[in-house]
mmCIF file of all heavy atoms in Angstrom:
data_model
loop_
_atom_site.group_PDB
_atom_site.id
_atom_site.type_symbol
_atom_site.label_atom_id
_atom_site.label_comp_id
_atom_site.label_asym_id
_atom_site.label_seq_id
_atom_site.Cartn_x
_atom_site.Cartn_y
_atom_site.Cartn_z
ATOM 1 N N MET T 4 -39.890 -41.980 -94.801
ATOM 2 C CA MET T 4 -40.780 -41.840 -95.927
ATOM 3 C C MET T 4 -40.826 -43.122 -96.761
ATOM 4 O O MET T 4 -41.892 -43.504 -97.255
ATOM 5 C CB MET T 4 -40.353 -40.676 -96.827
ATOM 6 C CG MET T 4 -40.518 -39.310 -96.196
ATOM 7 S SD MET T 4 -42.222 -38.840 -96.034
ATOM 8 C CE MET T 4 -42.459 -38.125 -97.636
ATOM 9 N N GLU T 5 -39.675 -43.785 -96.860
ATOM 10 C CA GLU T 5 -39.628 -45.053 -97.625
ATOM 11 C C GLU T 5 -40.520 -46.085 -96.965
ATOM 12 O O GLU T 5 -41.226 -46.854 -97.644
ATOM 13 C CB GLU T 5 -38.201 -45.564 -97.775
ATOM 14 C CG GLU T 5 -37.344 -44.756 -98.727
ATOM 15 C CD GLU T 5 -36.731 -43.538 -98.059
ATOM 16 O OE1 GLU T 5 -36.793 -43.443 -96.823
ATOM 17 O OE2 GLU T 5 -36.141 -42.708 -98.778
ATOM 18 N N LEU T 8 -44.123 -45.241 -97.565
ATOM 19 C CA LEU T 8 -44.463 -45.593 -98.960
ATOM 20 C C LEU T 8 -44.695 -47.071 -99.118
ATOM 21 O O LEU T 8 -45.691 -47.502 -99.725
ATOM 22 C CB LEU T 8 -43.353 -45.112 -99.901
ATOM 23 C CG LEU T 8 -43.572 -45.325 -101.391
ATOM 24 C CD1 LEU T 8 -44.765 -44.556 -101.859
ATOM 25 C CD2 LEU T 8 -42.361 -44.920 -102.188
ATOM 26 N N LYS T 12 -48.245 -48.945 -100.213
ATOM 27 C CA LYS T 12 -48.368 -49.857 -101.335
ATOM 28 C C LYS T 12 -48.905 -51.219 -100.878
ATOM 29 O O LYS T 12 -49.751 -51.830 -101.548
ATOM 30 C CB LYS T 12 -47.037 -50.018 -102.026
ATOM 31 C CG LYS T 12 -46.622 -48.834 -102.853
ATOM 32 C CD LYS T 12 -45.314 -49.064 -103.580
ATOM 33 C CE LYS T 12 -44.914 -47.888 -104.430
ATOM 34 N NZ LYS T 12 -43.642 -48.131 -105.118
ATOM 35 N N VAL T 75 -52.259 -41.564 -102.955
ATOM 36 C CA VAL T 75 -51.436 -40.933 -101.920
ATOM 37 C C VAL T 75 -50.013 -41.456 -101.987
ATOM 38 O O VAL T 75 -49.030 -40.701 -101.859
ATOM 39 C CB VAL T 75 -52.047 -41.167 -100.494
ATOM 40 C CG1 VAL T 75 -51.104 -40.693 -99.426
ATOM 41 C CG2 VAL T 75 -53.394 -40.440 -100.403
ATOM 42 N N ALA T 76 -49.859 -42.747 -102.198
ATOM 43 C CA ALA T 76 -48.504 -43.347 -102.312
ATOM 44 C C ALA T 76 -47.761 -42.756 -103.476
ATOM 45 O O ALA T 76 -46.545 -42.457 -103.362
ATOM 46 C CB ALA T 76 -48.613 -44.855 -102.452
ATOM 47 N N SER T 77 -48.418 -42.514 -104.607
ATOM 48 C CA SER T 77 -47.724 -41.947 -105.749
ATOM 49 C C SER T 77 -47.339 -40.502 -105.465
ATOM 50 O O SER T 77 -46.252 -40.044 -105.906
ATOM 51 C CB SER T 77 -48.557 -42.034 -107.000
ATOM 52 O OG SER T 77 -49.636 -41.158 -106.996
ATOM 53 N N ARG T 78 -48.180 -39.769 -104.738
ATOM 54 C CA ARG T 78 -47.812 -38.395 -104.363
ATOM 55 C C ARG T 78 -46.584 -38.379 -103.436
ATOM 56 O O ARG T 78 -45.732 -37.504 -103.568
ATOM 57 C CB ARG T 78 -48.986 -37.661 -103.700
ATOM 58 C CG ARG T 78 -49.968 -37.175 -104.720
ATOM 59 C CD ARG T 78 -51.067 -36.291 -104.097
ATOM 60 N NE ARG T 78 -52.327 -36.736 -104.638
ATOM 61 C CZ ARG T 78 -53.317 -37.267 -103.958
ATOM 62 N NH1 ARG T 78 -53.228 -37.437 -102.675
ATOM 63 N NH2 ARG T 78 -54.429 -37.635 -104.551
ATOM 64 N N ILE T 79 -46.541 -39.329 -102.522
ATOM 65 C CA ILE T 79 -45.399 -39.419 -101.617
ATOM 66 C C ILE T 79 -44.126 -39.759 -102.405
ATOM 67 O O ILE T 79 -43.077 -39.175 -102.176
ATOM 68 C CB ILE T 79 -45.642 -40.475 -100.497
ATOM 69 C CG1 ILE T 79 -46.668 -39.948 -99.507
ATOM 70 C CG2 ILE T 79 -44.362 -40.827 -99.805
ATOM 71 C CD1 ILE T 79 -47.064 -40.925 -98.452
ATOM 72 N N LYS T 80 -44.290 -40.666 -103.364
ATOM 73 C CA LYS T 80 -43.133 -41.048 -104.184
ATOM 74 C C LYS T 80 -42.610 -39.859 -104.969
ATOM 75 O O LYS T 80 -41.377 -39.622 -105.063
ATOM 76 C CB LYS T 80 -43.520 -42.185 -105.120
ATOM 77 C CG LYS T 80 -42.367 -42.732 -105.905
ATOM 78 C CD LYS T 80 -42.802 -43.948 -106.738
ATOM 79 C CE LYS T 80 -41.634 -44.508 -107.512
ATOM 80 N NZ LYS T 80 -42.048 -45.666 -108.304
ATOM 81 N N SER T 81 -43.482 -39.081 -105.562
ATOM 82 C CA SER T 81 -43.044 -37.911 -106.345
ATOM 83 C C SER T 81 -42.455 -36.851 -105.421
ATOM 84 O O SER T 81 -41.467 -36.181 -105.806
ATOM 85 C CB SER T 81 -44.189 -37.337 -107.177
ATOM 86 O OG SER T 81 -45.201 -36.844 -106.363
ATOM 87 N N ALA T 82 -42.957 -36.709 -104.215
ATOM 88 C CA ALA T 82 -42.380 -35.756 -103.246
ATOM 89 C C ALA T 82 -41.002 -36.208 -102.859
ATOM 90 O O ALA T 82 -40.083 -35.360 -102.727
ATOM 91 C CB ALA T 82 -43.269 -35.643 -102.022
ATOM 92 N N MET T 83 -40.801 -37.494 -102.701
ATOM 93 C CA MET T 83 -39.465 -38.003 -102.361
ATOM 94 C C MET T 83 -38.474 -37.731 -103.500
ATOM 95 O O MET T 83 -37.322 -37.354 -103.287
ATOM 96 C CB MET T 83 -39.512 -39.491 -102.051
ATOM 97 C CG MET T 83 -40.144 -39.810 -100.702
ATOM 98 S SD MET T 83 -40.458 -41.566 -100.418
ATOM 99 C CE MET T 83 -38.984 -42.332 -100.933
ATOM 100 N N ALA T 84 -38.952 -37.909 -104.738
ATOM 101 C CA ALA T 84 -38.102 -37.659 -105.922
ATOM 102 C C ALA T 84 -37.737 -36.198 -106.004
ATOM 103 O O ALA T 84 -36.608 -35.823 -106.290
ATOM 104 C CB ALA T 84 -38.784 -38.134 -107.173
ATOM 105 N N MET T 85 -38.711 -35.319 -105.774
ATOM 106 C CA MET T 85 -38.449 -33.871 -105.812
ATOM 107 C C MET T 85 -37.484 -33.444 -104.721
ATOM 108 O O MET T 85 -36.636 -32.598 -104.954
ATOM 109 C CB MET T 85 -39.747 -33.097 -105.684
ATOM 110 C CG MET T 85 -40.612 -33.129 -106.920
ATOM 111 S SD MET T 85 -39.781 -32.530 -108.374
ATOM 112 C CE MET T 85 -39.544 -30.838 -107.980
ATOM 113 N N LYS T 86 -37.605 -34.062 -103.573
ATOM 114 C CA LYS T 86 -36.675 -33.787 -102.467
ATOM 115 C C LYS T 86 -35.263 -34.155 -102.862
ATOM 116 O O LYS T 86 -34.302 -33.414 -102.621
ATOM 117 C CB LYS T 86 -37.124 -34.542 -101.216
ATOM 118 C CG LYS T 86 -36.288 -34.266 -99.996
ATOM 119 C CD LYS T 86 -36.817 -34.988 -98.795
ATOM 120 C CE LYS T 86 -35.968 -34.744 -97.567
ATOM 121 N NZ LYS T 86 -36.464 -35.521 -96.415
ATOM 122 N N GLN T 87 -35.106 -35.304 -103.522
ATOM 123 C CA GLN T 87 -33.791 -35.756 -103.971
ATOM 124 C C GLN T 87 -33.225 -34.833 -105.034
ATOM 125 O O GLN T 87 -32.058 -34.477 -105.003
ATOM 126 C CB GLN T 87 -33.862 -37.185 -104.485
ATOM 127 C CG GLN T 87 -32.536 -37.783 -104.844
ATOM 128 C CD GLN T 87 -31.593 -37.913 -103.691
ATOM 129 O OE1 GLN T 87 -31.985 -38.277 -102.604
ATOM 130 N NE2 GLN T 87 -30.315 -37.588 -103.910
ATOM 131 N N VAL T 88 -34.069 -34.406 -105.989
ATOM 132 C CA VAL T 88 -33.645 -33.500 -107.037
ATOM 133 C C VAL T 88 -33.195 -32.165 -106.428
ATOM 134 O O VAL T 88 -32.198 -31.593 -106.806
ATOM 135 C CB VAL T 88 -34.767 -33.289 -108.068
ATOM 136 C CG1 VAL T 88 -34.450 -32.136 -108.997
ATOM 137 C CG2 VAL T 88 -34.965 -34.579 -108.872
ATOM 138 N N THR T 89 -33.974 -31.685 -105.461
ATOM 139 C CA THR T 89 -33.596 -30.418 -104.803
ATOM 140 C C THR T 89 -32.255 -30.543 -104.087
ATOM 141 O O THR T 89 -31.415 -29.617 -104.160
ATOM 142 C CB THR T 89 -34.708 -30.031 -103.779
ATOM 143 O OG1 THR T 89 -35.973 -29.993 -104.481
ATOM 144 C CG2 THR T 89 -34.428 -28.716 -103.125
ATOM 145 N N LYS T 90 -32.067 -31.651 -103.440
ATOM 146 C CA LYS T 90 -30.801 -31.889 -102.744
ATOM 147 C C LYS T 90 -29.634 -31.917 -103.743
ATOM 148 O O LYS T 90 -28.580 -31.298 -103.522
ATOM 149 C CB LYS T 90 -30.896 -33.196 -101.971
ATOM 150 C CG LYS T 90 -29.670 -33.543 -101.149
ATOM 151 C CD LYS T 90 -29.921 -34.876 -100.423
ATOM 152 C CE LYS T 90 -28.649 -35.378 -99.805
ATOM 153 N NZ LYS T 90 -28.836 -36.722 -99.209
ATOM 154 N N ASP T 91 -29.832 -32.630 -104.859
ATOM 155 C CA ASP T 91 -28.793 -32.727 -105.889
ATOM 156 C C ASP T 91 -28.514 -31.344 -106.504
ATOM 157 O O ASP T 91 -27.369 -31.010 -106.753
ATOM 158 C CB ASP T 91 -29.200 -33.713 -106.994
ATOM 159 C CG ASP T 91 -29.245 -35.153 -106.476
ATOM 160 O OD1 ASP T 91 -28.689 -35.400 -105.396
ATOM 161 O OD2 ASP T 91 -29.860 -35.969 -107.182
ATOM 162 N N MET T 92 -29.562 -30.580 -106.730
ATOM 163 C CA MET T 92 -29.368 -29.244 -107.292
ATOM 164 C C MET T 92 -28.602 -28.343 -106.330
ATOM 165 O O MET T 92 -27.782 -27.523 -106.765
ATOM 166 C CB MET T 92 -30.724 -28.608 -107.661
ATOM 167 C CG MET T 92 -31.402 -29.233 -108.869
ATOM 168 S SD MET T 92 -30.436 -29.049 -110.345
ATOM 169 C CE MET T 92 -30.511 -27.321 -110.640
ATOM 170 N N GLY T 93 -28.842 -28.501 -105.051
ATOM 171 C CA GLY T 93 -28.104 -27.725 -104.066
ATOM 172 C C GLY T 93 -26.613 -28.003 -104.118
ATOM 173 O O GLY T 93 -25.781 -27.089 -104.059
#
Side-chain angles (χ1 to χ4, degrees):
M4 292 289 273
E5 288 85 9
L8 182 63
K12 286 183 179 180
V75 171
S77 73
R78 281 189 224 116
I79 288 175
K80 187 176 180 180
S81 65
M83 288 171 45
M85 287 302 295
K86 184 178 178 182
Q87 185 63 40
V88 167
T89 304
K90 183 179 170 186
D91 293 344
M92 287 300 291

